[in-house]
Amino acid sequence: MGVFVDYFAASSLELDRLDLSAGPAGIGSPYVDCKGWIDGLAGRVAELTGRDASEFGDDVVVSVESEGPGLTRVRLEVAQALAGVTDERLAEYAEDELLDEHEADRYVQLRDLARSAGANDHGLYCWSSV
């Protein structure tokens, strides 16, 4: 089965409409499917940017249901650092890490989602469910 993990951008109004059981698809928010990424985004962004993950701190827990889906807000510093990653760096990282095309594209989608969140003054969130 696995752990379902989706990253999405939302305004506070959109977040108020979120049904945790349905995830971001339930409110029509664009999202990036990161199934199985249980270790969060900060470590991956640290690898991409050459920074130490401890600089970013932990994501902020927004909501957790007992034995159900959870929601965290990605720290602004992580979202901003991800938004600043260039296409060239993403390609270099994909090559260095031997990522397949799907996985490499996932990083591009996440970076673009972080850019969109910043441009629209939205938060970047992580929805997860077992």
Side-chain angles (χ1 to χ4, degrees):
M1 188 148 168
V3 177
F4 297 99
V5 178
D6 294 335
Y7 285 91
F8 68 102
S11 68
S12 57
L13 291 175
E14 291 166 327
L15 200 59
D16 287 343
R17 295 191 342 245
L18 179 68
D19 173 3
L20 273 182
S21 63
I27 58 172
S29 285
Y31 63 92
V32 179
D33 177 353
C34 294
K35 183 178 180 180
W37 281 20
I38 58 173
D39 57 350
L41 198 54
R44 295 169 192 273
V45 172
E47 288 178 3
L48 280 167
T49 61
R51 295 173 64 181
D52 189 296
S54 65
E55 292 179 46
F56 295 126
D58 296 325
D59 290 341
V60 179
V61 175
V62 176
S63 181
V64 178
E65 292 185 1
S66 177
E67 297 188 31
L71 182 68
T72 56
R73 182 178 179 136
V74 175
R75 299 211 29 112
L76 180 60
E77 296 85 357
V78 174
Q80 289 174 335
L82 178 57
V85 176
T86 65
D87 287 337
E88 293 79 17
R89 176 61 187 134
L90 286 172
E92 178 183 271
Y93 181 78
E95 186 175 316
D96 289 348
E97 297 298 318
L98 304 175
L99 300 180
D100 64 30
E101 186 177 330
H102 172 74
E103 193 70 12
D105 186 53
R106 188 183 312 196
Y107 278 90
V108 172
Q109 290 177 35
L110 281 168
R111 188 272 319 269
D112 293 348
L113 185 66
R115 286 180 175 176
S116 174
N120 293 303
D121 200 27
H122 290 174
L124 188 61
Y125 296 90
C126 177
W127 173 87
S128 59
S129 181
V130 179

